[in-house]
Amino acid sequence: MSFIAIPNDCHFSYHNLPYGIFSSPNNLRRRPGVAIGDYVLDLSAIKHLFHGPLLRDVQDVFTEQTLNRFMSLGKDSWHEARKILQSLLSAKNPILRDDANLRSKALLRRDSVTMHMPAHIGDYSDFYSSEEHATNVGIMFRNKENALMPNWKYLPVGYHGRASSIVISGTPIRRPNGQTRPDDSKPPQFGPCKLMDFELEMAFFIGTPSKLGKPISIDKAQDHIFGMVLMNDWSARDIQKWEYVPLGPFLAKSLGTTISPWIVTMEALEPFLCENVPQDPSPLSYLKHSDPYNFDIHLEVSLLPENGKVPTVISKSNFKYMYWSMKQQLTHHTITGCNMNTGDLLASGTISGKSPDSYGSMLELSWKGTKDIVLAGGQTRRFLKDGDEVILTGYCQGDDYVVGFGDCTGKLLPALQI
């Protein structure tokens, strides 16, 4: 399909073409690129080739230091850009294939570049949309009969997160200090978090913005979604337990949230659409949609201890388990007239499946710290230790090709002495 040789198991196939922001050793300016095999295609070097009717007058979007302007152009422009990229990278098109000078400028080894935040994120909201995860947590902290709160199956529960502490994959995360109350009969204490956790999530970027006072309808929601990334929403469980009543998560989640650097477009994910999870009771009319908008995305979490030789896969899950779809999340978020801006990030919440090996957090995998998670080499974990590296990965499996997200990694550093 492409003149670039791409192994069948490579996440960045010709069918994928995800967008990111990168810099290179000989050009430190941040600029847009597309991942293809082992290479990054520098869009600033080929901006003159985007000469379709929608992009020919806005080619400078491919020289910006974030993807926001490009994402704001809308679905038709995204489609035109993808068609042009597929043509330029095709084995049949000589424009890039046979121009050695242009290729040397435009195609850079992926392992030689530095990745940066793909967009300016003005706002970030996190949902709680996995029924299995919400049920598990409810059983642990309440009981089986009252696992789900009364509102959970009527609306996508969410909260407003902290955009300033969202970081790109590879950025270390420091164990936080905060208030905890391990003994309910005694006052709270201050110190390092003792129950540090990851959360396996995915998130989507808003492309086309909306206006204040005008909700996004369920039949138009997909037109505003540009693409998806992996997310690790680091969580300080003991801080969260003490602080979350009555307003929900705060400092326990604002310590850091890691995302993968490449945004996989919804157009690339279309072949992996699958049926929505059946919803009972039926959602209110503004949240109903019959068209499939769930995706068969295989997800894995691995843990590598400090000085460990090999990471251990501790969870295998799938995005298709989500009870509330992205369309429902976005529609509900705007139903009051809340406006969405280009670059806003909306996250799924922890993604868990039905089997214990598909749970998306240490809290569930160790069942509130009562079970050991055995790692390669014999070490065990119930929650994260300093020096642990958490590695998230995700991909869709096609016929002899993969549409993947790469890795989303972060290493836990010791708490500061305060």
Side-chain angles (χ1 to χ4, degrees), residues 163 301 382:
V301 182
R382 296 190 177 186

Side-chain angles (χ1 to χ4, degrees), residues 150-203:
N151 64 349
W152 198 91
K153 287 201 169 183
Y154 285 93
L155 56 84
V157 174
Y159 74 97
H160 189 246
R162 184 71 188 173
S164 65
S165 53
I166 298 176
V167 297
I168 203 71
S169 175
T171 306
I173 296 293
R174 190 169 293 281
R175 183 185 295 270
N177 287 286
Q179 286 193 30
T180 61
R181 194 182 185 188
D183 187 337
D184 290 341
S185 67
K186 297 178 181 179
Q189 60 189 32
F190 180 84
C193 161
K194 293 183 174 65
L195 305 179
M196 192 64 191
D197 203 353
F198 69 85
E199 289 187 345
L200 169 63
E201 302 195 24
M202 298 197 74

Side-chain angles (χ1 to χ4, degrees), residues 47-48 50-60 80 84:
K47 67 173 186 175
H48 59 287
F50 289 92
H51 43 57
L54 299 176
L55 295 173
R56 62 190 174 203
D57 295 328
V58 289
Q59 293 173 350
D60 59 337
E80 183 176 290
I84 290 171

Side-chain angles (χ1 to χ4, degrees), residues 68 71-74 78 205-209 223-226 341-343:
N68 290 61
M71 294 194 301
S72 73
L73 297 178
W78 311 336
F205 275 98
I206 297 297
T208 312
D223 296 342
H224 295 261
I225 301 174
F226 178 73
N341 294 320
T342 300

Side-chain angles (χ1 to χ4, degrees), residues 135 138-150:
T135 300
I139 291 171
M140 278 186 250
F141 291 98
R142 290 184 293 276
N143 54 60
K144 191 172 184 179
E145 289 70 30
N146 298 292
L148 294 180
M149 299 299 283

